[in-house]
Amino acid sequence: MIPFLTVTAARKPRVLTTVALIAVALLAACVAQPTVPTRPESTQQTQPPALPPTSAPAETIPPLLPTQPPVRPQPSAESFPKTLAAAGTGPAVLALARQAQTFRSAGRPQDALGQYERALRIEPKNAFIWQAMAETHLALHNVEQAESAARKSNSLARGNPWLELGNWRVIASALGVYGDSPAAQAARTRADEIGSALAASGGGGAMPAAASAVP
Amino acid sequence: MIRIKSPLLRWLLIGLAISFSVGLLGLSFWLVRLDQDVRARYAGVRWVLPAQVYASPLELYPGARISVTELRRELERLGYRASDELTGPGTFAVSGSELRVDTRAFAFWDGVQPEMRLAVKSDASSLTSLRAMGSDASIDLLRLDPMLIGSIYPSHSGEDRVLVKLSEVPPLLPATLIRVEDRAFADHFGISPKGILRAAVSNLFGGKGRKQGGSTLTQQLIKNLFLSNEQSYGRKINEALMAILLERHVSKDDILEAYLNEVWLGQDGSRAIHGFGLASQFYFNKPLNELRPAEIALLVGIAKGPTVYNPRKYPERVKDRRDLVLQLMEDGGLIRDDEREAEALTPLGVLNSVAGGVERYPAFIDLVRRQIKGLYREEDLGSEGLRIFTTLDPRAQERLEARIIADLPDLEKNRQLKPGTLQAAGVVTSVEGGEVLAMVGDRNVRYPGFNRALDSQRPIGSLAKPFVYLAALADPGRYNLYSSIADEPIDLKMPNGSHWAPKNYDRQLHGNVPLHVALAKSYNLPTVRIGLDIGVDRVHDLIEAAGLQGPPRLPSMFLGAINASPLDVAQIYSTLAASGYLTPLLAIREVMTKEGQPLSRYSFQLKQTLPEGPVYLTTWAMQKVIEFGTGRWAVSVLPAGQKFAGKTGTTDDARDSWFAGFGSDRVAVVWVGRDDNKPVGLDGAAGALRIWGRLMRDLDARGIDLTPPAGVEEAQIDPVTGLLADAGCAAQVTVPFLSGALPKDYAPCANAGQSSPLDWLKDIFR
């Protein structure tokens, strides 16, 4: 009947990205410091605990009271879930993730993003969904969103090395789009460190399916 | 042959013959032109199709936090009818804790959700099972059809409509329309000589009573589409000729379909309700194909004159008219005698208030309008029938409205203010994704006037303070949550020579206070002291990074001399709530064409703009606002055992009362004040906090995740000195620090020496 004006669709501006970019530029300095935390705890798991040469103090000093942290026992890599399904995800979010995977396989990444967003409305802190979103953005060459979603996933990963591995790979690829910058190299190094630590820990290179989907 | 002798007569006749021929020729030309005109105009008919605006759909899944009772309410809001058994889409039945529902099919942006018959069970708070009826298989997830909450129609004509196809409307509707308006529709050629004759006779002998039209549906369509409302013979003749011509080019079905979509069926302020599709929503809040015969009869009946037959104004007159149409239906064999009797007994069923429309959620629709404006052309919005899917959560919206409606009169009573003195605005957003879930811009929540949630620019007062503390906590070499800050007088000489000497809200001095206590209790002097130490520029930059542009670069900014709207505040608090990730607040998710083709999607956009560790520490201090600070009243209403972070805001002489805060999934901002900017005698704690606390409870908001992120470590601290504590200390608190910035020294109470177990363990993990 009435042909829709495609002009308007083409004019859709990337207002959001612009706003975010401006804000970021204004704050580059203070952002820089904590976004790439160097937290080697996951790699530490893989080596025998570096006990001090003398274990004597452990005997002579009474065991720590329960009220005395700051030391939490560091969980081993195997204690972290490797996949969405193992992470206590509810059936609704699993169904959406499956649907999204179908869309991705069918070459419909935009539709996949929509499913991941539905999933995040139900489980907003699900780091696996954030990671899947990051990968989908990467496939769409939305490198900024790929990087941001991967960092978000890292923020929510709470030390899960399987997730961190995948996220650093996404970040490395996203940053690599602009050339082999130091930031891209650092991200790749980070991914490699986690990857070799996981391999050494006996994971046998069993990478989570999600991480292997990274191009 | 008659010979005309008189030359005069002869010339006269010749003249007549010539003029007749010329007249005939002229008429032919006129008809040809009219024919072209009709064809061109009809081909060019562009239905004015306003953009339709939908709320977000309710997702049903086992575990969804909605009880059967609440679900029932949701279904009623969507126009589903309760009955003993399911009789078709849009019906539901409740028995005990089980609800059965026949859902409507709906074309979403990512596919069609088909109609389904479901059995749903819940406990007191959430769904426990979801099954397809007649099957034991559990359903993982299902979307209900979203609520139509309004349309964006052109302001000049005010025409609003929902397009329908003849093939999709219940056949009883066109049949009744023909029976009532134009019985010979199927057979006539555009006009009905019999009808005209009948009308003429009736008008001649009927005196001054009702005038009969005698117009066919085709003529009425021509008039509605192309002609003015003027009552003249010239127009009548034009109308008849055009109707005849139109019938030569267009099928009866097309004419009928056009009529169904064109006819004016009601008025809602400046909004004109056109077509049966919209009228069904407007009067009954349900789609056309769910109408009962009596409801179809009502709509057909009022087509005669929606002003005279306004069912909300003249229910009795309209009932007579409806029953007459039901009788005509029976006479025409469209319904049986017993059906007519049963239908005539039903009440009109017209909603008292307008169901959808901008009048329901004016503040939110206003936001949608503004956000969509930059993306599409105004004329396309008003005419292309775009379908706009928004983030509005009707349940959150209802709860926000209920709180403001209920709590403002209480606040006025407590302060002995005249009822109606106070105004309020509120915004609720989701933490991850930055979706605007609810918005109120006036205590009269349906009033489509000044939208305070967007347009009221008020000083934010102490709401700015968390950013001063964030700036300090991002500098771990100098500040942590237990840094001791002097609460002492400050006198600042300004560049223009004047002096600035801020005071604490309670006009007291509190000696040295730990940093987080200064924020929790909203002390002004320590805040200014920290701000001056860190620098105006740092704080300014952090506020901009959080999403509010252009705070003034002045020390008074530390105490909130920044004008902002409630939505602006929601933006910067969202960035804190989302661990430092800025997501521009959005009201729109997807836009589709009227044919259901996806046009654009606005996916979550995020960017880390604030450092995560310091944001975590700031949020920790903001939890203390509620635990023991200025927001502690909220503890009495918030769910026990869950932590929320927030901040009170009060401006000079208590003109503005603010509270902004969040849990792990919801951010809410509430402002209370007066339009004339006079003092209201309410600080943030006495005013906005009361609404905010109950709102968060009503929203069923979840508490903050207390696991520290990477880059943050917790330590046991002696609360008196802020130094490390051990078993020797009577009181110890767990406090987060940025990694590597834990206090080095032990508190005097600690019995640990240089070789304490803590140091030893710390060495291991360093």
Side-chain angles (χ1 to χ4, degrees), chain A residues 1-2 4-5 8 11-13 16-17 20 23-24 26-27 30-31 33-35 39 50 52 57 61 64-65 67-72 74 91-92 95-96 98 103 110-111 113-115 117-118 120-122 124-125 130 133 137 145 148 151-152 155 158, chain B residues 46-47 59 61 109-110 140-141 143 375-377 380 384 386 432 435 474 538 541-542 544-545 549 578 581-582 584 586 589 599-612 664 705 707 709-710 714 716 726-727 732 755 757-758 760-761 764-765:
Chain A
M1 238 172 102
I2 306 146
F4 185 75
L5 295 140
T8 53
R11 291 192 321 168
K12 184 190 90 174
L16 307 175
T17 328
V24 155
L26 283 163
L27 197 70
C30 88
V31 175
Q33 125 216 50
T35 43
R39 189 170 48 143
I61 290 162
L64 292 173
L65 294 171
T67 49
Q68 279 182 318
V71 186
R72 285 188 301 250
Q74 299 290 332
L96 287 166
R98 276 196 304 272
F103 279 138
Q110 275 293 349
D111 291 331
L113 283 179
Q115 303 308 306
E117 284 166 15
R118 281 177 75 188
L120 288 176
R121 286 183 199 111
I122 294 170
K125 310 280 184 197
W130 279 106
M133 222 164 130
H137 276 303
Q145 284 310 307
S148 289
R151 288 192 189 280
K152 184 84 195 180
S155 292
R158 296 292 187 248
Chain B
R46 288 168 53 97
W47 295 116
E59 302 260 15
Y61 52 92
W109 118 285
D110 50 2
D140 289 332
L141 181 74
R143 272 175 293 194
L375 309 170
Y376 295 94
R377 294 188 312 176
D380 295 343
E384 290 296 337
L386 299 181
E432 310 294 353
E435 298 190 319
R538 285 281 288 150
D541 291 353
L542 284 179
E544 289 210 328
Q549 300 312 303
Y581 288 81
L582 171 78
L586 262 195
R589 284 183 189 165
L599 207 55
S600 20
R601 221 176 62 78
Y602 303 92
S603 73
F604 291 5
Q605 301 280 318
L606 66 157
K607 186 86 198 179
Q608 189 167 22
T609 60
L610 297 177
E612 186 173 14
S664 70
D705 180 2
T707 318
E714 290 178 331
Q716 293 303 114
D726 66 10
Q732 299 180 30
S755 63
L758 266 179
W760 171 80
L761 275 166
I764 296 178
F765 286 95

Side-chain angles (χ1 to χ4, degrees), chain B residues 462-463 465-466 519 522 573 622 625 630 645-649 658-661:
Chain B
S462 306
L463 296 185
K465 282 180 186 162
L519 179 64
S522 202
Y573 273 64
M622 290 168 75
V625 171
T630 53
K647 187 71 195 78
T648 46
W658 290 92
F659 199 89

Side-chain angles (χ1 to χ4, degrees), chain B residues 8-282:
Chain B
L8 188 71
L9 202 60
R10 196 161 62 209
W11 281 116
L12 202 69
L13 277 178
I14 290 171
L16 264 175
I18 290 173
S19 8
F20 183 73
S21 311
V22 169
L24 208 63
L25 203 68
L27 184 70
S28 310
F29 273 120
W30 166 239
L31 279 177
V32 169
R33 249 201 58 202
L34 200 62
D35 188 52
Q36 284 172 344
D37 193 34
V38 167
R39 274 196 286 179
R41 284 217 252 184
Y42 190 80
V45 163
R46 288 168 53 97
W47 295 116
V48 176
L49 285 181
Q52 290 172 304
V53 185
Y54 292 91
S56 71
L58 181 64
E59 302 260 15
L60 297 181
Y61 52 92
R65 295 198 299 172
I66 182 169
S67 68
V68 156
T69 320
E70 289 169 307
L71 178 57
R72 186 195 168 118
R73 217 179 134 54
E74 275 300 297
L75 291 171
E76 282 167 350
R77 208 204 317 268
L78 288 171
Y80 281 59
R81 278 102 48 221
S83 57
D84 294 337
E85 51 189 304
L86 304 184
T87 53
T91 57
F92 68 93
V94 184
S95 51
S97 66
E98 193 187 61
L99 183 148
R100 285 166 298 136
V101 57
D102 191 341
T103 65
R104 294 177 187 138
F106 193 87
F108 285 98
W109 118 285
D110 50 2
V112 173
Q113 168 79 56
E115 176 195 346
M116 261 189 116
R117 291 188 167 215
L118 293 178
V120 181
K121 283 188 183 148
S122 84
D123 56 23
S125 62
S126 51
L127 298 187
T128 50
S129 95
L130 197 64
R131 286 180 303 109
M133 280 172 65
S135 143
D136 284 337
S138 180
I139 291 175
D140 289 332
L141 181 74
L142 174 133
R143 272 175 293 194
L144 289 181
D145 48 313
M147 183 176 167
L148 184 63
I149 55 168
S151 38
I152 295 180
Y153 51 86
S155 43
H156 56 89
S157 75
E159 266 187 55
D160 195 3
R161 70 162 51 74
V162 172
L163 205 64
V164 295
K165 290 205 180 81
L166 186 61
S167 56
E168 288 165 3
V169 306
L172 185 58
L173 171 63
T176 306
L177 189 66
I178 289 169
R179 185 77 203 163
V180 173
E181 290 289 330
D182 185 5
R183 243 175 257 189
F185 178 71
D187 306 318
H188 64 60
F189 54 95
I191 59 171
S192 164
K194 248 201 258 174
I196 292 172
L197 207 66
R198 202 173 45 231
V201 169
S202 154
N203 288 348
L204 209 61
F205 299 105
K208 284 190 173 172
R210 277 200 218 132
K211 296 235 167 156
Q212 282 226 348
S215 296
T216 62
L217 287 175
T218 321
Q219 280 171 284
Q220 292 183 38
L221 178 66
I222 290 283
K223 187 185 89 179
N224 293 346
L225 282 178
F226 307 133
L227 302 173
S228 70
N229 242 335
E230 167 206 3
Q231 291 281 351
S232 74
Y233 286 106
R235 202 219 68 186
K236 275 270 170 204
I237 291 166
N238 237 351
E239 175 189 298
L241 287 176
M242 287 169 88
I244 296 168
L245 294 170
L246 184 67
E247 291 260 358
R248 284 168 39 87
H249 302 300
V250 180
S251 74
K252 290 277 181 190
D253 277 358
D254 284 352
I255 290 171
L256 202 51
E257 184 172 288
Y259 186 92
L260 290 172
N261 285 309
E262 172 51 39
V263 64
W264 174 57
L265 287 168
Q267 194 68 28
D268 173 27
S270 64
R271 184 167 75 121
I273 311 302
H274 281 265
F276 283 89
L278 181 62
S280 175
Q281 293 286 351
F282 180 68

Side-chain angles (χ1 to χ4, degrees), chain B residues 277-490:
Chain B
L278 181 62
S280 175
Q281 293 286 351
F282 180 68
Y283 291 115
F284 302 114
N285 186 29
K286 55 185 174 183
L288 210 45
N289 57 12
E290 290 175 21
L291 293 187
R292 307 167 51 81
E295 290 162 339
I296 289 176
L298 185 144
L299 292 184
V300 171
I302 63 178
K304 192 178 167 76
T307 313
V308 179
Y309 295 105
N310 180 341
R312 294 191 173 105
K313 258 193 189 161
Y314 312 111
E316 282 161 28
R317 187 189 292 170
V318 172
K319 177 156 191 324
D320 290 347
R321 174 79 185 152
R322 181 198 74 175
D323 294 349
L324 176 71
V325 174
L326 282 170
Q327 187 61 55
L328 290 172
M329 284 168 146
E330 189 202 323
D331 295 349
L334 302 176
I335 54 173
R336 291 189 313 273
D337 172 46
D338 56 317
E339 276 181 299
R340 182 193 56 74
E341 271 180 32
E343 289 293 321
L345 287 175
T346 59
L348 287 187
V350 171
L351 299 168
N352 285 331
S353 57
V354 177
V358 284
E359 284 71 14
R360 185 156 177 149
Y361 304 125
F364 185 82
I365 295 283
D366 183 26
L367 177 65
V368 172
R369 250 177 205 279
R370 292 188 206 197
Q371 291 200 342
I372 200 95
K373 212 167 189 170
L375 309 170
Y376 295 94
R377 294 188 312 176
E378 180 103 38
E379 54 262 43
D380 295 343
L381 285 174
S383 65
E384 290 296 337
L386 299 181
R387 310 170 78 193
I388 301 170
F389 293 87
T390 72
T391 57
L392 182 89
D393 174 351
R395 284 200 294 162
Q397 177 72 24
E398 185 174 88
R399 285 158 192 188
L400 173 62
E401 290 176 357
R403 280 272 60 91
I404 286 180
I405 291 169
D407 292 348
L408 271 197
D410 281 354
L411 295 177
E412 284 165 344
K413 213 188 287 171
N414 290 346
R415 293 285 143 164
Q416 280 147 19
L417 293 165
K418 213 171 80 200
T421 312
L422 294 177
Q423 260 300 354
V427 178
V428 179
T429 68
S430 69
V431 167
E432 310 294 353
E435 298 190 319
V436 180
L437 306 176
M439 176 176 273
V440 165
D442 191 302
R443 68 182 292 172
N444 179 0
V445 297
R446 304 268 172 270
Y447 178 66
F450 183 55
N451 187 353
R452 287 163 195 80
L454 295 181
D455 291 331
S456 119
Q457 294 280 324
R458 296 293 196 119
I460 63 173
S462 306
L463 296 185
K465 282 180 186 162
F467 296 91
V468 178
Y469 289 83
L470 174 64
L473 291 166
D475 193 348
R478 289 151 80 194
Y479 290 100
N480 63 42
L481 287 163
Y482 266 82
S483 298
S484 181
I485 314 291
D487 184 10
E488 286 165 3
I490 292 172

